[in-house]
Amino acid sequence: MARKLGGSKMMLACVCLLLLLLLLHQMYPRSAPAVRVAQDGVEAPGMIEDLLCILEETCKSKGYNYRVASGDGMDIFPVICFDKKLVMSEEKQNIGRGLNIAFIDNKSKTVSKARSFDTFQDDAELIEALQNTPDHWLIIVACYDECAQRLGIEARTLLQKFGSGLVKELGFRDSYIMIGQKGLKLGLAIEKLEHKGSQEFASRVELSGCLTIPVGAMGPKGSLDAKVVSEKKDIQIASRLDNCGLADPCPAGEISMHIYSGVDHNDHPQICIDGAYYIAKGIKNSGRGLNIVTLNGTSRQVLKVATFDTYAKDSTTLEIFLVNIMNEEIVVIVSFDDSSKKLSDFAKSLLNDLGSSQIQNMQFRSQWYMVGMKGIQGFTKYEQLEYSKDGNWAPLIDRKFCIPTKIKGQTVKPDPLIIKNKSKKDFCDRHVEYTDFCDESHLDDGIFPAPQTNPAWENHAIFSIPIVVVAGLSHTGLQMTLETLMMQPGINPKMVVVMFDENFADAVDLVALFGFHVIRLLSSNRYSDQFAKSIDAVWDLSFFAKETKKPDKVIVLEEDLILAVDFLSYMGQLLSTLEADDTVAAVSAWNVNGYTGLSSDPTLVIRTDGFPGLGFMLKRSFYEKHLRGHMETCCINRSWLGWTLPTANSTDILVPDVSRVFRLPPDGSGGNDALLEELFRRERVTNSEPSPVLGSVHLLVNKKYDALIEKLVQSARVITSSQLDGCSRETGSQLVGLFPPASRSAFLVYYGSETELRRLCRCFGLFSAPDQPPKGLYKEVLRFSFNNNQVLLVSSQSVFAQARSDPSVQVN
């Protein structure tokens, strides 16, 4: 009986193990066999050390089991297994956004280190790690979430040194995995790439099998295609000429050379070194683009001959070639036909490292030669650049000279860059949708914060207040907001954060040009949802804590705004009032009634009890009391439609007579085109004066402002409603006689109902839209400018109506 029971337990255990294996197989399905998998036989199963690394086959003693899987969106994490051991996974808590990489010592066959590199934000750490990886070490790479956004040319070129042929195609939210080895020939890495297409994320990719080391054919530091590069015994010599045509032999310790660029595309380039022509007509490795010969200066031996057609093809193979040049190798280069069209900035920087001081100035059909050296200190004197004129061929370069076996650099400053703003040029090369921003006439425009020229404003508190830009989906709108924000004198880029929908990914590149912080928000169906997320998040961001104490105010910029040049100055002048008055919730930069003819005094600020939105400075105390946790109920509408905010002396807003922001007109797809027409397509006034001083700011505080309005009501000239009968926006010119511009006076008009107020708004040309109440009131008083006069529309029920003893007085 006991033996039967023991057998039953064993059978139950076997069933449980099989169920566990089946569950794991379903949780971690394997894809089709690797695109290119090292071949090996199969041996009997051994002890499995990590469940996530269970494979259908095991390897012979010379092979190593591996499994690598990318992430799947943001919910499923990547997995890296090597030699039956789990190296990187969610369980090991060593996975992060970007490229997750295990580094394997090729001699000990053990994992030396494993870490993640957030290439969504930056690739500097990845570049350093790849550069410092010893020759012939292996890397196993798995992408998670987003890997390509800031994975630049240099990082991709370094991954190509590990044999990758696909990494240059890696795009936003693609899935990517790779097993490579430093020195592996280009294209021989084991890798798989899946593009996201129209999906939110690409599908998961996975490879598994048996890995042999080396992974594939190794070249010296990564050999290139023989059609591009000839090495040693494959190098051809077209002809020989004593001293390369020089009349006299070169001095001892020097090498003769002849460099010839060709007259035009029907000619042919030539490079002669020590009496032999290695670049000439009939040589396979010569032609359009950059023609290069490398040699050992000490032995005078030519090592490689290559040509790179940088007119028709990108610079990838050229970059790899240049990266792999050994220290103290001499490099001889001559251009032919056009070599500038697809010559990358990274390739130019590598050529600069070899001693060029002029390559950055290369233009269409330029003629250029250089003799440089890897490891040169300074710049070579053996260089010449000729420019094309009117699209014709540049002047011929035809030089014969002697060079030393070790080139000594000159400590000279390179010629000025033709493209001074390299980062902007790189951005514009990738983003064709920014047409005006990337127009050729603007490529050199610097992007830097405007300096503060007024000593009185140095260290002003306004520059320590966080600014959050809640971006929409308009490329031009965001660009113009950032540009005009950067133009604010004294702006501190470290205090600016741009928050954007995760689907608007190229915003990251644009914001990086300005040096602002960037935060990606989970996608929302409505801008108002994204706006609410941004307001909730901005108060407690860690990078602001490094610059200032916990913020008690924040400046908010909605989408598609152009800022007046004194936007921050305006906010700064009202900062003390905002702090001193508990009844003021925010300072707005936009006047909903700021139309042409109704907005004229840039020094005037008024109080309103409605929230105009767009650009404003908000108190944290007001946010905590009325908005935190309620954004979806109080503020679900766009701010210009009105928010459901508490009243009773708690939501007064300071508003300029002349707006400090201009909102680019929307496309009209919001469902209420009449309202958008009234708000954003009528002609408005935005301040253009550089630094107007606001008047009587001390009178904006609660009781003082009430006293000011009362005084204005008492002293104003009264216009009766009947005098305005028949007035409309179209016939408003009749008002000029009643409100002469030369008088610069205060005028008062009483109204008895909202219907009458609406009629008056239409008469003066104030905001008036169907199904929308009049805007910009303060305690039932609507104050605005008209013909350089102050006009007050006052409700007969307002607390200020009693300021006059006889409201019926008329003007003759």
Side-chain angles (χ1 to χ4, degrees):
M1 182 71 179
R3 292 182 62 185
K4 289 183 179 180
L5 182 60
S8 299
K9 288 183 177 180
M10 183 175 294
M11 183 176 294
L12 179 61
C14 291
V15 170
C16 290
L17 179 60
L18 287 172
L19 288 173
L20 176 61
L21 293 174
L22 178 61
L23 177 62
L24 287 169
H25 183 76
Q26 291 174 337
M27 289 174 63
Y28 302 96
R30 280 175 291 279
S31 65
V35 176
R36 194 189 71 78
V37 180
Q39 300 298 314
D40 206 342
V42 178
E43 63 179 5
M47 181 67 70
I48 302 298
E49 296 185 31
D50 292 271
L51 294 177
L52 287 176
C53 301
I54 293 176
L55 301 176
E56 293 176 347
E57 62 178 359
T58 55
C59 305
K60 290 183 177 181
S61 58
K62 292 184 180 180
Y64 299 86
N65 282 103
Y66 73 87
R67 177 184 176 223
V68 54
S70 69
D72 192 348
M74 290 185 286
D75 299 324
I76 298 179
F77 292 81
V79 173
I80 294 178
C81 299
F82 177 71
D83 198 18
K84 304 178 185 178
K85 296 180 178 64
L86 184 61
V87 179
M88 300 189 77
S89 70
E90 179 185 12
E91 290 75 12
K92 281 192 168 287
Q93 298 183 350
N94 58 356
I95 292 294
R97 180 178 62 186
L99 293 180
N100 298 270
I101 304 181
F103 295 83
I104 300 170
D105 186 328
N106 67 300
K107 295 180 180 178
S108 65
K109 312 301 190 293
T110 58
V111 176
S112 175
K113 58 182 176 180
R115 59 168 297 189
S116 63
F117 299 89
D118 188 358
T119 49
F120 176 79
Q121 291 281 11
D122 188 68
D123 65 358
E125 292 186 356
L126 173 63
I127 289 170
E128 182 180 7
L130 294 176
Q131 287 174 335
N132 294 332
T133 301
D135 291 341
H136 306 306
W137 274 35
L138 288 78
I139 57 172
I140 304 180
V141 183
C143 173
Y144 171 61
D145 189 349
E146 212 300 293
C147 306
Q149 190 70 36
R150 305 308 286 276
L151 188 66
I153 294 172
E154 184 173 3
R156 293 174 191 250
T157 302
L158 288 168
L159 287 168
Q160 289 176 319
K161 292 181 67 175
F162 288 78
S164 174
L166 297 177
V167 70
K168 65 181 180 181
E169 301 173 19
L170 180 62
F172 180 70
R173 283 187 171 173
D174 288 347
S175 291
Y176 177 67
I177 53 178
M178 166 197 167
I179 301 176
Q181 189 170 7
K182 194 166 187 179
L184 190 65
K185 287 190 175 183
L186 185 66
L188 295 187
I190 301 169
E191 55 186 340
K192 197 169 186 179
L193 172 66
E194 180 79 20
H195 296 298
K196 86 177 192 71
S198 59
Q199 304 176 78
E200 187 176 6
F201 288 90
S203 302
R204 192 181 205 191
V205 291
E206 180 174 350
L207 294 170
S208 61
C210 295
L211 179 68
T212 56
I213 301 176
V215 176
M218 305 291 288
K221 301 275 183 179
S223 298
L224 295 170
D225 190 338
K227 295 179 181 179
V228 176
V229 180
S230 293
E231 302 182 54
K232 296 182 180 178
K233 64 179 182 179
D234 295 325
I235 293 174
Q236 297 176 310
I237 296 177
S239 61
R240 295 186 182 274
L241 180 63
D242 289 346
N243 304 317
C244 291
L246 287 167
D248 300 312
C250 292
E254 295 190 5
I255 304 171
S256 61
M257 286 194 179
H258 176 207
I259 309 291
Y260 180 84
S261 64
V263 175
D264 56 28
H265 66 291
N266 295 316
D267 202 347
H268 212 279
Q270 299 176 34
I271 295 179
C272 177
I273 298 174
D274 209 17
Y277 280 91
Y278 296 93
I279 296 290
K281 187 175 182 179
I283 298 292
K284 66 175 181 178
N285 298 116
S286 64
R288 183 174 61 189
L290 294 182
N291 297 269
I292 305 178
V293 179
T294 67
L295 65 146
N296 182 310
T298 303
S299 68
R300 299 173 180 248
Q301 180 184 7
V302 170
L303 303 173
K304 296 177 183 178
V305 178
T307 185
F308 301 93
D309 186 357
T310 50
Y311 173 83
K313 300 177 182 177
D314 66 34
S315 299
T316 301
T317 52
L318 170 63
E319 292 159 4
I320 296 172
F321 179 87
L322 296 175
V323 165
N324 287 328
I325 292 174
M326 299 295 290
N327 198 44
E328 296 194 353
E329 282 185 17
I330 293 175
V331 185
V332 186
I333 310 175
V334 66
S335 67
F336 175 67
D337 195 341
D338 179 65
S339 56
S340 66
K341 186 175 182 179
K342 295 188 177 180
L343 184 63
S344 69
D345 286 328
F346 180 50
K348 291 178 183 178
S349 71
L350 294 173
L351 292 166
N352 178 263
D353 290 341
L354 294 172
S356 173
S357 64
Q358 299 185 54
I359 187 61
Q360 65 272 7
N361 298 331
M362 176 78 80
Q363 298 177 0
F364 178 66
R365 287 185 173 174
S366 291
Q367 303 273 37
W368 174 72
Y369 96 89
M370 178 191 78
V371 181
M373 186 181 73
K374 184 67 172 284
I376 190 173
Q377 300 299 310
F379 303 96
T380 178
K381 66 178 182 179
Y382 304 102
E383 183 176 28
Q384 182 179 347
L385 177 64
E386 298 289 344
Y387 296 105
S388 167
K389 294 181 180 179
D390 302 322
N392 296 318
W393 303 100
L396 172 70
I397 294 176
D398 188 1
R399 297 284 310 277
K400 297 176 181 179
F401 50 85
C402 301
I403 66 157
T405 55
K406 185 173 182 180
I407 298 174
K408 185 177 181 181
Q410 301 179 104
T411 308
V412 296
K413 185 177 181 180
D415 290 346
L417 295 176
I418 286 179
I419 301 301
K420 299 181 180 67
N421 193 338
K422 178 179 178 297
S423 298
K424 186 174 180 180
K425 180 182 181 299
D426 290 344
F427 171 86
C428 292
D429 286 343
R430 298 193 305 272
H431 300 285
V432 296
E433 60 271 23
Y434 293 87
T435 52
D436 291 336
F437 183 67
C438 291
D439 185 84
E440 187 173 335
S441 62
H442 297 305
L443 275 181
D444 286 345
D445 294 348
I447 300 177
F448 47 83
Q452 179 54 255
T453 57
N454 186 346
W457 279 82
E458 290 183 8
N459 303 316
H460 194 286
I462 194 66
F463 304 120
S464 298
I465 293 178
I467 301 173
V468 56
V469 179
V470 187
L473 298 178
S474 167
H475 298 95
T476 301
L478 179 58
Q479 163 219 319
M480 298 184 77
T481 300
L482 300 186
E483 283 186 300
T484 53
L485 185 56
M486 201 64 135
M487 294 175 185
Q488 302 300 309
I491 181 74
N492 180 1
K494 294 181 180 179
M495 296 306 297
V496 181
V497 60
V498 181
M499 299 191 182
F500 62 93
D501 189 290
E502 59 182 344
N503 291 325
F504 189 29
D506 58 357
V508 176
D509 284 350
L510 179 65
V511 176
L513 291 177
F514 293 85
F516 299 149
H517 299 289
V518 46
I519 289 182
R520 179 180 59 172
L521 300 171
L522 292 177
S523 186
S524 303
N525 292 326
R526 296 176 302 184
Y527 178 84
S528 55
D529 294 332
Q530 182 176 321
F531 184 83
K533 294 174 187 176
S534 300
I535 297 293
D536 286 337
V538 70
W539 302 100
D540 301 308
L541 295 176
S542 59
F543 42 73
F544 288 149
K546 298 177 182 178
E547 303 297 324
T548 185
K549 60 183 181 180
K550 190 174 183 180
D552 57 1
K553 289 169 285 294
V554 67
I555 294 173
V556 181
L557 298 174
E558 298 186 38
E559 64 175 335
D560 301 345
L561 296 184
I562 298 175
L563 278 59
V565 68
D566 73 324
F567 172 84
L568 277 185
S569 171
Y570 163 81
M571 290 291 182
Q573 292 180 70
L574 294 174
L575 182 58
S576 60
T577 304
L578 180 65
E579 293 173 335
D581 192 342
D582 292 337
T583 66
V584 175
V587 176
S588 175
W590 188 62
N591 183 352
V592 67
N593 289 310
Y595 300 106
T596 300
L598 300 173
S599 177
S600 59
D601 188 353
T603 69
L604 177 63
V605 180
I606 63 175
R607 286 175 74 119
T608 74
D609 48 29
F611 196 84
L614 293 188
F616 55 91
M617 178 166 55
L618 182 68
K619 274 183 178 176
R620 184 173 192 142
S621 58
F622 178 81
Y623 165 79
E624 296 286 357
K625 184 175 181 179
H626 300 294
L627 302 183
R628 183 183 284 275
H630 305 291
M631 291 294 293
E632 292 187 1
T633 53
C634 74
C635 313
I636 198 64
N637 292 326
R638 297 300 294 261
S639 56
W640 62 69
L641 293 175
W643 287 350
T644 308
L645 297 174
T647 55
N649 299 326
S650 62
T651 60
D652 288 350
I653 312 296
L654 303 182
V655 175
D657 182 58
V658 178
S659 294
R660 264 50 177 200
V661 294
F662 174 79
R663 210 284 188 184
L664 294 171
D667 60 10
S669 60
N672 193 340
D673 199 50
L675 175 60
L676 296 179
E677 181 75 30
E678 184 71 8
L679 285 171
F680 304 120
R681 298 193 185 103
R682 285 182 58 195
E683 189 173 342
R684 288 181 167 274
V685 178
T686 305
N687 181 52
S688 59
E689 295 186 22
S691 53
V693 177
L694 303 181
S696 304
V697 171
H698 64 288
L699 296 180
L700 292 170
V701 178
N702 188 16
K703 293 183 179 180
K704 291 183 179 180
Y705 189 77
D706 285 1
L708 173 65
I709 296 298
E710 185 173 323
K711 184 176 180 180
L712 285 172
V713 170
Q714 290 172 344
S715 62
R717 300 168 65 183
V718 177
I719 303 294
T720 64
S721 181
S722 61
Q723 289 177 276
L724 302 174
D725 286 346
C727 172
S728 66
R729 186 180 299 172
E730 290 72 23
T731 62
S733 58
Q734 72 183 65
L735 299 175
V736 175
L738 293 174
F739 304 90
S743 65
R744 294 186 176 275
S745 303
F747 293 86
L748 173 65
V749 182
Y750 285 101
Y751 65 90
S753 65
E754 184 174 307
T755 300
E756 189 173 5
L757 177 59
R758 286 174 179 269
R759 182 180 69 83
L760 291 172
C761 286
R762 290 193 295 273
C763 171
F764 284 98
L766 298 164
F767 171 82
S768 177
D771 304 320
Q772 290 288 321
K775 295 181 181 293
L777 281 81
Y778 173 74
K779 296 181 179 180
E780 299 182 285
V781 174
L782 205 166
R783 181 185 179 191
F784 59 95
S785 297
F786 183 81
N787 272 1
N788 294 318
N789 298 297
Q790 287 287 299
V791 180
L792 295 93
L793 307 183
V794 180
S795 169
S796 58
Q797 306 301 314
S798 168
V799 294
F800 300 110
Q802 310 307 316
R804 296 182 71 100
S805 58
D806 184 5
S808 63
V809 174
Q810 297 187 21
V811 175
N812 295 325

